[in-house]
Structure formats: C-alpha cells, structure tokens
Amino acid sequence: MRKFFQEIKTELKFKTAGPGQKLSEPSRVPKEKPKAGTAPKPRQGPTDEAQMAAAAAMARLELKPKAKVTSSQEAIRNQVRKELMAEAAASERGLTEEEKDQTSPEDEGAAAPSVSGVYFICPLTGAVVRKDKKEKHLREAIQAYFSIDPVAASIMEIHTFNKDREKVRAGVETMAKYLDNICLHPEEEKYRKIKLQNKVFQERINCLEGTHRFFQAIGFETKTLPVPGQGKKIQAMEEEYYVLREDVLTRLEDLKGYKEQLLNSEPVRAQLDRQLCVFKPSPEAARFELPNDFYNLTAEEIKREQRLRTEAVEKASMLRTKAMREKEEQREMRKYNYTLLRVRFPDGYILQGTFYARESLSALFSFVREALRDDWLPFELLGPGGLKLTDENLAFNECGLVPSALLTLAWDTAVMADIQASREEQPASTLKPELLSRVQTLS
C-alpha cells in the first residue's frame, strides 16, 4: 500500500507546478508544408488487419475499469494522508493484514456491510459460528461428544467427515453385514473376528474416517493372531484382527441397535443462521453491501471469470438464442451460495434474513410468517419490478433474487379490512413485539 501511495505522490510531484510557476506546454513541431505543384496522395482506407487490431484495442479499453476522476489534486493528497494515518493506527493496534482489509474506517467514506458475514448454528452446542470456523467447531463438538456417547460420536464422524457419499454407503453396509453375522451366529467364533488386512476391509472401511473408533466403541479389541494353517512353525506369520469381547455377546440387542443407528444416521450439518433483523423505514432499503462470504468463487473460478470477461465483447456481437442467454444467466447465479433478502412491509418496516441461494421461496414465506404477530394473515410477496412471487417451489437463484434483493409485502385487502373493522384498537405493527423491541436503523 505504501508503494502505491509513493507512486501517487511522485506523480503529483511531477504533474503539479510549484508556487509562482506555470505548467510548461509541450513543444510543438511545425508541420512541413507540401511543395508547390505536388498533388496530395489519396488517403487509403484501413486494411482488414488494422481494423481487427483496432477492434481488439477497443475491446480491451471497454474491459478496463474506468479511472475515477478526482475533483482536485488536493483531494488526492488528503485521501493519501487519511489512508496512511489509518494504516499507521492499525499497525499500532497490531492488526493482521486480513483484519486491516476488513477494517472500513468511516472517515474513508466506505459503506458498512449489510451483514458482517455468513453464520451457522451448531446443532450439538447451539453456538453461532462464522462460516470459515464452522467445520473446525463441528469437529471439536463431535470430539467432545465422545465423553457422552462414544458410539454415537463415532457414527457422526463417519457420516459427517467423509464427503464421498457413495463410499460412505458402501462402507456402512459392509460394517452392518459384520454385525448381522455376529447377531445371527453368536456361537461362531469366525464371525467375531475381522482381519484388518482383508481386501474388502481395506477398500471399504479402512479408508473412512471414524470407522476404527466405531469398532472400538461397540466392543472390538485389536489383537495380533497367528495366520491359520501355519501349524507349529518357528516363525509363524501373524496378522492384526478386530476381535469382539466376550461380554458383548450378552448384549446382542445393543449390537442390533448400533447397526440400525449406523445405517440410518445422517451427516451432522450446521444450520444457517438467518441473522434476522428488523429495520425502521429507510430510503436505503435497496442498498446492499455484501461481505465476501456471500460469493462462491475459488481462485480457479476467479481466473475463469476473468477469461470470460475478455470474451464479453465477442459474445455481445454474436446472435444468441433465448436458451443460450438463459444458460449464461443461470451460470451467473451459481456464483453465489447465499443471498441477503429484505422484505418491506406496508408500514415501512423492513425484515432482513440470510438464505441459501438454492433454497426455495417457501423458506422466505415461512420466515415472514414466523415474524408476524398473527401468522395466519394471508399476504403476497412482490419481487423487484413488482413481479408477484407465486411458485414457492422455485429457488431464489432461479428467480434472480441473488445475491441480494428487496421484496415488498402486500396484504390481502379484504381480510385486512375485516380485521380493522373488528378491532377497536389497532396494533402499531403486524410484526411481533419482541422483534420491534430491537428494531435498528439501516445505515
């Protein structure tokens, strides 16, 4: 950043004249007059190669971000001075580079984000954690659950931290088969032993996180046993096995229960925190400032987007079908994992919440109903441009409501007229009192 400031200051130094000085004008070279009697050469049109080069140059100019025009050189100096002071203050506080980037001092005129990020609620602890801390917190919560129920905790590990669902299915079914054999033939010793170097065990079970802790939790012990058929050789080969403890055979019903639990469990998923907010009526309702958490772009995807931008001019000149345009629009919508939605009520109050971009509209309707004093009141939601949202099965990204949107709530006129006629005293708002008690001002 300092290097950038130095470049600005150096440029100002050469472009700005000192006191009492005038800016020197560039020297003009007089054009050579054509000799008398010489006919001027006819002008030739640009060649095809020149036209192509000119078009490419224009395309590059269109793609370049336009420079912001400053009002004066003094304004530039003031801005540089402010940013230098802010950087020095951040350095004194010991902030990291990442924290400096997230800092937006008010004196710089940067708008505060509409939300500070995307947050999740851990189903095991109830804690609200930021998106980038979610996986770490879940792992710690499951680890802590081993002290309460080791079998359940190991099953959580298997289903939650192994992302390949097909491998999880194959491994779980194989483990269930081991337990089935024990329950059906408890007197058979061979079913109570599992060779760890067995090919099926290695390919389907050993590769999954949490499986070894599951076997240990339900009563298996690791033992080194001689390979059958070695006789009394001096150096008989040995292999590792899981061997079920004898006392577990008296609790076969528990073993059946563990098998069912293993087969029917689902991954532990943190729930998206809606971050419900209620704002006073504001003309800034349609203005959104979103943090990076809302964008679903990896480093590779960012490079791809840059490449797509360079092709924008060429695409604009192509005759595209409606299907092609819709496909491109859908690709644009997939850039976002989340969307920030605001619903403006007829009295001006604004309800805000965070949703998955691929959630259906029914989630938004439920979100609004839960915020109402009377959740049975019929209402309609109008999207940008006044378009009525009728199909609750459509996803937000299919409706163009990502990464943010302001919607309008409209009551059923006849129903509201009947309610007003039947009530002597009308409530201040249709929102729940507990929500109105923490209403905020939209900045």
Side-chain angles (χ1 to χ4, degrees):
M1 184 178 287
R2 292 183 181 277
K3 182 179 179 182
F4 171 71
F5 294 150
Q6 291 296 333
E7 291 175 356
I8 294 179
K9 293 172 183 177
T10 303
E11 184 178 354
L12 288 175
K13 180 179 178 182
F14 286 101
K15 288 187 176 181
T16 308
Q21 297 177 355
K22 294 182 179 180
L23 291 174
S24 58
E25 295 184 358
S27 57
R28 299 177 179 269
V29 180
K31 295 183 179 179
E32 185 179 353
K33 295 182 180 180
K35 296 180 180 179
T38 304
K41 294 182 180 180
R43 296 183 62 181
Q44 297 181 352
T47 63
D48 292 342
E49 291 78 2
Q51 291 182 21
M52 293 176 63
M58 288 298 294
R60 288 194 296 272
L61 287 174
E62 288 290 333
L63 293 172
K64 285 184 178 179
K66 296 181 180 179
K68 188 179 289 186
V69 179
T70 56
S71 59
S72 67
Q73 295 171 356
E74 187 62 29
I76 297 176
R77 293 194 189 95
N78 290 337
Q79 180 68 15
V80 170
R81 190 180 301 111
K82 286 181 181 179
E83 294 182 4
L84 281 171
M85 293 173 65
E87 184 181 10
S91 178
E92 290 176 2
R93 291 195 303 269
L95 298 178
T96 63
E97 289 299 323
E98 181 180 357
E99 289 169 331
K100 291 176 189 176
D101 292 339
Q102 295 174 354
T103 303
S104 301
E106 292 182 2
D107 59 355
E108 294 182 11
S114 303
V115 285
S116 59
V118 176
Y119 291 82
F120 290 83
I121 304 171
C122 176
L124 298 178
T125 65
V128 178
V129 295
R130 189 159 178 153
K131 173 187 170 185
D132 55 350
K133 307 292 184 184
K134 178 183 63 172
E135 292 298 326
K136 181 175 181 291
H137 183 88
L138 272 179
R139 189 172 291 276
E140 291 173 350
I142 292 176
Q143 180 63 36
Y145 203 75
F146 271 93
S147 61
I148 302 172
D149 188 341
V151 175
S154 62
I155 292 174
M156 289 180 197
E157 278 192 326
I158 294 170
H159 285 278
T160 304
F161 300 127
N162 297 291
K163 303 304 180 184
D164 191 326
R165 304 310 304 163
E166 183 58 31
K167 285 186 177 181
V168 171
R169 184 195 62 78
V172 163
E173 288 179 354
T174 304
M175 294 164 71
K177 185 66 176 176
Y178 287 145
L179 301 184
D180 264 341
N181 288 336
I182 294 172
C183 293
L184 292 173
H185 311 283
E187 70 287 350
E188 292 284 344
E189 183 181 355
K190 65 178 181 179
Y191 291 121
R192 302 200 299 270
K193 295 189 299 183
I194 303 172
K195 186 166 71 171
L196 301 189
Q197 295 304 315
N198 178 276
K199 183 179 179 182
V200 173
F201 186 91
Q202 287 292 318
E203 291 180 351
R204 297 187 182 182
I205 298 174
N206 189 59
C207 61
L208 298 177
E209 182 176 350
T211 52
H212 291 283
R213 301 182 80 170
F214 172 77
F215 281 114
Q216 293 164 5
I218 65 176
F220 279 88
E221 296 176 326
T222 306
K223 290 188 178 181
T224 302
L225 302 176
V227 177
Q230 293 292 314
K232 295 183 179 180
K233 293 181 180 179
I234 298 176
Q235 293 182 340
M237 294 180 61
E238 294 182 334
E239 291 182 327
E240 279 193 323
Y241 287 81
Y242 272 143
V243 180
L244 188 67
R245 296 196 312 267
E246 291 289 339
D247 61 288
V248 180
L249 295 176
T250 62
R251 297 180 279 109
L252 291 179
E253 289 301 317
D254 290 345
L255 215 56
K256 293 178 183 178
Y258 299 150
K259 183 200 75 171
E260 294 301 322
Q261 190 177 352
L262 178 66
L263 287 171
N264 299 319
S265 290
E266 295 289 336
V268 178
R269 295 285 183 253
Q271 180 184 358
L272 179 65
D273 183 15
R274 298 293 187 203
Q275 299 184 74
L276 185 152
C277 294
V278 177
F279 298 106
K280 296 176 182 178
S282 170
E284 300 292 326
R287 181 182 176 185
F288 292 88
E289 295 290 340
L290 299 177
N292 292 335
D293 288 357
F294 277 74
Y295 298 89
N296 184 31
L297 290 178
T298 62
E300 292 75 15
E301 289 170 332
I302 290 174
K303 292 179 181 178
R304 186 188 66 185
E305 291 302 320
Q306 290 173 344
R307 176 176 54 81
L308 292 174
R309 288 193 192 100
T310 61
E311 301 171 0
V313 174
E314 180 183 348
K315 285 187 175 181
S317 63
M318 292 172 55
L319 182 62
R320 292 175 293 162
T321 65
K322 181 181 178 182
M324 292 171 66
R325 291 195 301 269
E326 290 177 350
K327 185 177 180 180
E328 288 181 7
E329 290 172 0
Q330 288 297 318
R331 186 184 64 197
E332 287 294 311
M333 293 300 103
R334 285 195 293 271
K335 290 180 186 178
Y336 310 102
N337 261 348
Y338 311 95
T339 182
L340 186 66
L341 300 177
R342 290 174 181 163
V343 178
R344 179 158 49 195
F345 283 68
D347 57 6
Y349 280 100
I350 301 162
L351 183 68
Q352 175 177 289
T354 302
F355 298 83
Y356 285 108
R358 294 171 181 80
E359 275 189 273
S360 63
L361 288 172
S362 60
L364 178 60
F365 278 86
S366 298
F367 177 72
V368 173
R369 289 190 189 98
E370 291 171 2
L372 296 177
R373 184 191 298 265
D374 299 312
D375 59 4
W376 54 268
L377 286 174
F379 62 87
E380 295 177 341
L381 291 179
L382 308 179
L387 181 65
K388 187 185 297 185
L389 304 177
T390 55
D391 189 351
E392 295 190 25
N393 294 319
L394 287 177
F396 295 121
N397 58 358
E398 293 176 324
C399 303
L401 300 178
V402 294
S404 60
L406 173 64
L407 302 99
T408 303
L409 183 142
W411 300 115
D412 185 299
T413 307
V415 172
M416 293 305 292
D418 291 342
I419 292 175
Q420 291 175 358
S422 63
R423 287 180 178 175
E424 297 181 359
E425 184 178 353
Q426 299 299 325
S429 174
T430 52
L431 291 168
K432 290 180 177 178
E434 57 266 31
L435 296 181
L436 293 173
S437 64
R438 50 191 178 96
V439 66
Q440 305 175 44
T441 300
L442 192 59
S443 57

